[in-house]
Amino acid sequence: MAYTITATPAAYSSAHDDLVYTVAFPEHTSDPVTYPNYKFIGDVYIGATLVARIKKVPDPVTAIGIFNVGQIVRNYLATVFNPGPGIVCQQMGDGVFSVQVTMHFGEEYAFSGIADLVVDSARVFFNNYNGRLVGVSSSLTSFSDKVASNRPARLQTLLTSSYNFISYLPSSTSAVNFIVTPTGGGSTYSTTFTPSGANVMQVLNISPVAINAAQAGTINASTQYYTVQIGSQIYYVDLTCENIYTVNTIHFLNQYGGFESKLFTKVSRKTIDITRKDFGKLPYTVDSAGLVTFKNSNGVYNENRSVYAVQFKEKLLLNTDNLSDSEYIWLKDLILSPMVYIEDGGYLFPCVITDNSYEEKKFINDEMTNLALNIEFGNQLNSQFR
């Protein structure tokens, strides 16, 4: 039996999980006299570039070489949120949503190494995460040529919304149908988009502003709701009109490595978290004549405690409408997301969710309830230094 790759990671494996390869060479591992100090060599190539070399002693029971390259591979993923104009506002491929890895295996014995005895085929790993799996090897498996999301088929937007994201995962470069059908007013818009490559995540902007930019008058003030067909899937988009509260839109990286949006339409509260730094001073001054004064000639008293720096962070408490059971399941992605943005005046500001727990509520247990979300803007601000 020759040097053999005996196991590789499953298709659509997550780069954030264990990526385990196993190899065997029983003719050599079973002969320690001819092949002393035997080790398997695993070279990790990202694209065509060698990025790491791993050496593994054979397992003492099975004599198998076991290579877990997950910690190496995930370093070569760097998600970027950079939506541009158009319906397809961002395409995320190699290095952003996925990474291509080729493993080259060799051996070392008697302190001499031989590389590239066997080379695996190139495999692509993705920027999804799995959580607890039931019956599948990757959470991304069932989303090929589909919208990569846990969201229910009905969502909300504002007539004036500039952004409302949803992500689609193509298996090829075949054209994908995109059809908008308004109800109550407006006109149908039909087009296709062509992915730049297989498994390149398509971030779509299905907001009224983006759709009307593609075809003027598709959605107007008389539109009650509209459907968006992406491939064979249809989503219903309700136009929300909130007369009392300021509507805040949150955009986030979901479980499957795409971006999507959620409106928080109910009461919001803004607070400021403040950190002050100060030092103590004597409340009086003594002049050259020995006179003690507590204030100046204009009646301004001396500082007894002097603040020399004030730093502050802005925080928001946001609230949704009442949620269905399926929306609670979907919004777990938001709470767990490492990339969250809030829309303000057409600009997208990074923020951090400060909640550390989440309950997937159910109607049968809690009746209709809403989600309250605490966020903190990502930048720390300063007032005047002294």
Side-chain angles (χ1 to χ4, degrees):
M1 182 178 178
Y3 198 127
T4 307
I5 300 173
T6 53
T8 59
Y12 288 106
S13 287
S14 168
H16 303 283
D17 276 353
D18 294 325
L19 299 176
V20 181
Y21 293 79
T22 63
V23 293
F25 201 173
E27 292 88 346
H28 289 191
T29 55
S30 62
D31 188 357
V33 176
T34 307
Y35 306 99
N37 300 311
Y38 191 87
K39 298 180 181 67
F40 292 102
I41 295 174
D43 289 335
V44 184
Y45 282 77
I46 303 295
T49 304
L50 174 64
V51 299
R53 168 164 287 184
I54 310 168
K55 297 180 181 180
K56 288 290 185 177
V57 175
D59 182 87
V61 176
T62 63
I64 295 292
I66 303 171
F67 296 87
N68 184 352
V69 300
Q71 288 187 332
I72 297 170
V73 171
R74 69 183 64 115
N75 290 317
Y76 294 88
L77 275 172
T79 303
V80 176
F81 182 51
N82 188 30
I87 299 295
V88 182
C89 59
Q90 185 176 358
Q91 298 192 63
M92 301 191 297
D94 188 52
V96 179
F97 170 65
S98 60
V99 58
Q100 181 177 285
V101 178
T102 306
M103 291 296 299
H104 296 225
F105 294 102
E107 65 181 357
E108 177 186 285
Y109 58 88
F111 304 106
S112 179
I114 305 172
D116 298 342
L117 290 178
V118 62
V119 178
D120 187 33
S121 57
R123 300 181 187 275
V124 180
F125 304 118
F126 297 91
N127 194 35
N128 63 308
Y129 67 87
N130 287 326
R132 180 165 55 87
L133 296 174
V134 179
V136 294
S137 58
S138 172
S139 65
L140 205 58
T141 303
S142 60
F143 289 99
S144 181
D145 292 322
K146 292 182 180 178
V147 171
S149 173
N150 292 322
R151 76 188 309 159
R154 198 155 205 128
L155 54 141
Q156 294 175 305
T157 192
L158 300 175
L159 183 62
T160 56
S161 287
S162 297
Y163 300 103
N164 199 317
F165 299 115
I166 196 166
S167 296
Y168 180 86
L169 179 61
S171 65
S172 68
T173 57
S174 298
V176 181
N177 289 326
F178 183 89
I179 304 171
V180 178
T181 306
T183 296
S187 58
T188 299
Y189 171 62
S190 179
T191 187
T192 61
F193 62 87
T194 303
S196 62
N199 297 320
V200 174
M201 185 68 84
Q202 309 292 295
V203 181
L204 310 178
N205 184 359
I206 60 171
S207 71
V209 170
I211 293 170
N212 285 336
Q215 177 182 281
T218 301
I219 299 165
N220 59 33
S222 299
T223 304
Q224 298 169 4
Y225 69 90
Y226 59 95
T227 62
V228 177
Q229 180 177 338
I230 306 168
S232 60
Q233 294 175 273
I234 296 177
Y235 284 82
Y236 294 81
V237 185
D238 292 318
L239 290 170
T240 297
C241 180
E242 177 55 64
N243 296 319
I244 301 175
Y245 303 111
T246 300
V247 176
N248 293 279
T249 306
I250 297 292
H251 311 290
F252 61 96
L253 181 69
N254 71 10
Q255 177 178 3
Y256 307 108
F259 285 95
E260 50 192 334
S261 308
K262 172 60 183 173
L263 265 63
F264 286 75
T265 59
K266 297 308 178 186
V267 62
S268 61
R269 300 181 187 277
K270 184 176 181 179
T271 58
I272 298 177
D273 189 11
I274 303 168
T275 301
R276 291 185 177 87
K277 296 182 180 180
D278 59 55
F279 60 90
K281 297 171 63 176
L282 292 174
Y284 57 85
T285 58
V286 180
D287 64 17
S288 58
L291 295 176
V292 177
T293 56
F294 290 85
K295 60 182 185 300
N296 66 16
S297 59
N298 291 322
V300 179
Y301 277 83
N302 298 328
E303 289 181 305
N304 191 26
R305 182 181 177 187
S306 183
V307 176
Y308 64 88
V310 177
Q311 297 177 319
F312 62 97
K313 293 181 180 179
E314 296 176 286
K315 296 183 177 182
L316 277 176
L317 170 63
L318 306 176
N319 284 276
T320 65
D321 283 323
N322 289 333
L323 300 177
S324 64
D325 291 1
S326 58
E327 287 177 304
Y328 268 110
I329 294 172
W330 165 51
L331 289 176
K332 179 180 69 174
D333 287 10
L334 169 58
I335 302 300
L336 294 176
S337 178
M339 293 183 70
V340 180
Y341 293 79
I342 185 169
E343 185 178 342
D344 187 2
Y347 294 92
L348 305 174
F349 293 91
C351 56
V352 176
I353 295 173
T354 57
D355 297 298
N356 291 319
S357 63
Y358 181 69
E359 179 184 358
E360 290 183 15
K361 293 185 178 181
K362 297 181 179 180
F363 179 81
I364 193 170
N365 297 334
D366 307 289
E367 297 186 347
M368 296 300 293
T369 56
N370 74 308
L371 173 65
L373 184 73
N374 290 282
I375 67 167
E376 183 178 282
F377 286 87
N379 52 335
Q380 181 163 293
L381 305 171
N382 304 308
S383 68
Q384 299 94 331
F385 289 102
R386 297 178 61 198

